């Protein structure tokens, strides 16, 4: 009897436990399903907002680029078209060519550029023959008007109209399909999900299926599927809510439109958010298949129930609950982490796209000129080397001597031209720096400024006698000085007498700590303790504190025709030179700019313009040096080897820096001559390792571009000297003998 009661109690407890477990599983299933759907809705909502932000930034990028293009001086659209037909046609062709160039550089989104007279629909200039039908007026902002037009079938264009002061209107047409490809189409939402964009009336303007564009999402789709009776009540109800400009999510019934052969009513889940543009808004919707989510939920629940029953049978219910909770938490966290990473990646990609768009033309020019300069330097080195060697061995009365001299001089002039071309290199801001004489720099800049100032302005220059030089780019330093001079001239005007006083002195980093604000001290070069201060003081109109806070912002200007990029570029150049620019101004009185740049010692490199006769090697020099030459250009390697062997030296030449390092480990040399730009080890890296193996061995680097790293390598005694290609053979030979102690004094090598 007791046993029967015990089993009855056990069965009752077991039944209660099973019932409780089933109840818990049912409640957990509902909660889990609700959580998954809510989480998915949140994900879709975040994606909608991200797409909205990126679309806004993409459109604003194109607007800003086009605004900058319209206000550039190269267009010259401040005057009317000439009256004569020939002049009109010439002007039209000039503008057409400029428009084409701009479109090529922005070919990802710009479809057409049109110039019309205000109030007229007849284009004066149009890059295409497209015709446009008005779809929506989007409103005006900052003087520019935005409109949606239909072009060819299923294609919408966003038109940005910029009215000009002379009565003309210039319009940029942006292809909405291309914007969709750039910022939306790559985002995948399950197997069938997609992102679409509607206008405020529910008409589709962006969709992966182009035939849907221009169709009302609620009332117009029946015409696309005449053979099927569509049930769109729940879709229309959701669209009515979207048309109110609100964000949210919904579950509704609709169709997968691309599947025309098997179109059927299905359940979908969608999140939506408004995208404000002009005076209206668009609706961005992220749509995915509800069945995919339900299948995912069913699969997970079935697995959960099976495991729960199995583990319950062996009394492991608490363990399975803990595991389930842990796994669920980890899954949710992983999904949230993925969404955060996706959002950060999209933001980073957009910022990088803005930077690339702003500098893509300069990068193109820089890539071409940098490569050309480097290759020409390698070609000119053998020309100057062989011609110099021939001149050394030939009698001046030889009939061929003058011809060889002409070859040498022509190569020298080509070298000067290549040095000018290299200033356009995209690396110019970072690497094409050299020693600049401060007095020469300021004197030339003031001379150029004197030619453009008005007669009412007095221009003066005062330089202290002990002012040191600068290490930088002469072209860019001239650019920032002339920009500041011109700004000072504009501030003074042409009516009242005025002055612009330029002064220059040496200062120390310790002194700068008292005048440079804390947030700008990070721009100062950590290795430099001495600086050059250039002051530009004028008695012009001055600036208010509000204006001073914005003068270095891009596109900010107080001039009616200015671009607002002058001081922005000036600050970037000075920052790249490891310097700081400061401004002090009093409204209605004066303005003073102070440029603080790191000081540099006098140029340590040997002169590059001397002829072979000025640095010729005499017979007094000794021979028998063991020289190692490393360069991956065989032509340069050959001429250097021949030049040194001419004086009975033992020369080993290698085109691999790694092989050179192996040879240095087993053999000693009198001197190492190496190129800097090589595949495996750079010249500086090879010099560091060679210095560890043989501290007393002199090292010379030859380079196509003189970089800050090469200068610092000499200052820190990693190398003994450097030469810029194309180099003169006799100068290199003289340097070799001087560094090894085999000069005219007859010293022995180190």
């Amino acid at each position: 009897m007791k046993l029967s009661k015990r089993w009855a109690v056990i069965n009752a407890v077991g039944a209660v436990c099973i019932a409780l477990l089933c109840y818990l599983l049912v409640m957990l299933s509902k909660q889990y399903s609700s959580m998954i759907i809510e989480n998915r809705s949140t994900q879709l909502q975040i994606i909608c907002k991200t797409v909205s932000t990126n679309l806004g930034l993409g459109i604003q990028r194109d607007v800003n680029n086009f605004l900058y293009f319209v206000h550039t001086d190269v267009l010259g659209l401040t005057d009317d078209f000439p009256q004569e037909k020939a002049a009109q046609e010439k002007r039209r062709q000039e503008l057409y060519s400029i428009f084409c160039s701009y479109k090529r550089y922005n070919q990802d989104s710009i479809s057409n550029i049109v110039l019309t007279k205000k109030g007229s629909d007849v284009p004066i200039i149009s890059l295409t023959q497209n015709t446009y039908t008005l779809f929506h007026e989007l409103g005006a902002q900052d003087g520019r008007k935005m409109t949606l037009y239909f072009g060819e079938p299923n294609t919408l264009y966003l038109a940005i109209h910029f009215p000009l002061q002379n009565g003309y209107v210039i319009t940029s047409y942006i292809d909405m399909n291309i914007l969709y490809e750039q910022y939306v189409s790559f985002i995948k939402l399950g197997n069938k999900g997609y992102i679409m964009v509607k206008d405020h009336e529910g008409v589709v303007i962006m969709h992966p299926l182009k035939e849907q564009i221009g169709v009302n999402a609620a009332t117009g789709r029946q015409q696309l599927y005449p053979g099927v009776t569509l049930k769109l009540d729940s879709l229309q109800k959701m669209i009515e809510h979207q048309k109110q400009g609100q964000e949210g999510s919904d579950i509704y019934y609709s169709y997968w439109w691309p599947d025309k052969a098997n179109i059927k009513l299905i359940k979908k889940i969608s999140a939506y958010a408004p995208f404000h543009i002009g005076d209206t808004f668009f609706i961005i919707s992220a749509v995915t298949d509800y069945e995919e989510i339900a299948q995912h939920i069913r699969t997970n629940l079935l697995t959960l129930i099976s495991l729960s029953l199995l583990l319950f049978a062996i009394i492991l219910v608490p363990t399975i609950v803990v595991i389930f909770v842990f796994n669920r938490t980890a899954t949710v966290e992983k999904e949230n982490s993925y969404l955060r990473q996706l959002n950060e990646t999209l933001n980073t990609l957009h910022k990088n796209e803005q930077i690339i768009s702003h500098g893509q033309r300069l990068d193109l020019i820089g890539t071409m000129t940098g490569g050309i300069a480097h290759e020409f330097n390698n070609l000119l080195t053998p020309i100057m080397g062989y011609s110099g060697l021939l001149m050394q061995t030939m009698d001046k009365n030889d009939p061929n001597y003058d011809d060889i001299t002409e070859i040498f001089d022509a190569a020298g002039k080509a070298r000067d031209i290549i040095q000018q071309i290299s200033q356009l290199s995209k690396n110019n801001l970072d690497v094409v720096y050299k020693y600049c004489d401060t007095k020469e720099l300021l004197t030339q800049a003031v001379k150029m400024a004197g030619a453009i100032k008005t007669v009412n302005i007095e221009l003066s220059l005062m330089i202290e006698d002990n002012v040191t030089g600068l290490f930088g780019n002469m072209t860019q330093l001239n650019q920032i000085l002339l920009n500041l001079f011109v700004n000072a001239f504009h501030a003074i005007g042409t009516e009242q007498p005025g002055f612009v006083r330029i002064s220059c002195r040496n200062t120390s980093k310790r002194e700068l700590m008292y005048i440079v604000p804390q947030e700008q001290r990070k721009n100062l070069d950590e290795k430099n303790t001495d600086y050059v201060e250039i002051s530009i003081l004028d008695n012009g109109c001055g600036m208010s504190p509000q204006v001073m806070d914005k003068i270095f912002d891009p596109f900010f200007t107080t001039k009616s025709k200015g671009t607002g990029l002058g001081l922005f570029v000036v600050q970037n150049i000075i920052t790249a030179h490891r310097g700081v620019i400061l401004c002090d101004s009093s409204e209605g009185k004066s303005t003073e700019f102070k440029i603080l740049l790191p000081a540099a010692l006098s140029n340590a490199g040997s002169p590059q313009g001397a002829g072979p006769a000025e640095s010729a090697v005499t017979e007094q020099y000794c021979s028998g040096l063991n020289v190692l030459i490393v360069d991956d250009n065989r032509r340069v390697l050959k001429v250097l080897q021949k030049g040194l062997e001419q004086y009975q030296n033992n020369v080993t030449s290698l085109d691999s820096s790694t092989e050179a390092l192996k040879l240095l480990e087993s053999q000693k040399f009198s001197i190492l001559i190496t190129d800097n730009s090589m595949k495996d080890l750079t010249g500086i890296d090879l010099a560091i390792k060679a210095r560890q193996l043989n501290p007393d061995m002199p090292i010379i680097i030859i380079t196509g571009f003189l970089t800050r790293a090469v200068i610092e390598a000499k200052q820190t005694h990693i190398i003994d000297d450097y030469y810029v290609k194309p180099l003169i053979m006799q100068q290199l030979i003289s340097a070799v003998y001087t560094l090894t102690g085999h000069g005219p004094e007859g010293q022995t090598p180190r």
Side-chain angles (χ1 to χ4, degrees), residues 326-455:
F326 177 79
N327 288 339
R328 187 186 63 183
T329 303
T331 302
V332 173
E333 178 61 29
K334 184 177 181 181
E335 292 176 352
N336 292 336
S337 176
Y338 170 75
L339 288 175
R340 287 194 297 268
Q341 292 177 0
L342 176 62
N343 190 38
E344 292 175 359
T345 301
L346 290 174
N347 289 334
T348 302
L349 287 174
H350 179 70
K351 291 178 181 179
N352 291 340
E353 181 184 0
Q354 286 182 314
I355 296 172
I356 293 171
S357 175
H358 184 72
Q360 60 184 348
R361 282 169 286 185
L362 292 179
D363 284 344
L364 177 61
I365 295 174
T367 300
M368 293 174 59
T369 55
I372 291 172
H374 185 269
E375 292 302 323
F376 265 90
N377 283 336
N378 282 332
L379 292 173
L380 288 175
T381 296
I383 295 174
M384 297 187 71
Y386 285 125
S387 58
L389 291 175
L390 286 172
M391 293 169 65
Q392 287 293 317
T393 58
M394 293 176 64
D395 191 290
K396 291 187 177 181
N397 296 323
D398 191 299
N400 295 321
Y401 184 83
D402 291 338
D403 297 338
I404 300 300
T405 303
E406 286 295 328
I407 294 174
F408 184 87
D409 293 341
K413 293 177 181 178
R415 175 196 61 200
D416 297 336
I417 294 173
I418 294 304
Q419 289 177 351
Q420 296 175 8
I421 292 176
S422 66
Q423 293 179 354
L424 297 175
S425 169
K426 72 176 183 179
N427 295 323
N428 188 40
L429 191 64
D430 297 323
V431 295
V432 185
Y433 291 176
K434 61 181 180 180
Y435 175 82
C436 303
D437 186 277
T438 306
K439 293 183 179 179
E440 180 182 350
L441 171 69
L442 291 175
T443 302
Q444 291 180 356
V446 169
K447 184 177 181 181
M448 294 177 65
I452 58 176
K453 74 176 184 66
T454 53
V455 294

Side-chain angles (χ1 to χ4, degrees), residues 491-492 496 538-545 585-591:
I492 295 172
Q496 301 297 328
D538 68 75
N539 64 339
C541 60
M543 293 177 285
S544 65
S585 183
S586 300
E587 190 170 8
K589 294 183 180 180
S590 64
T591 299

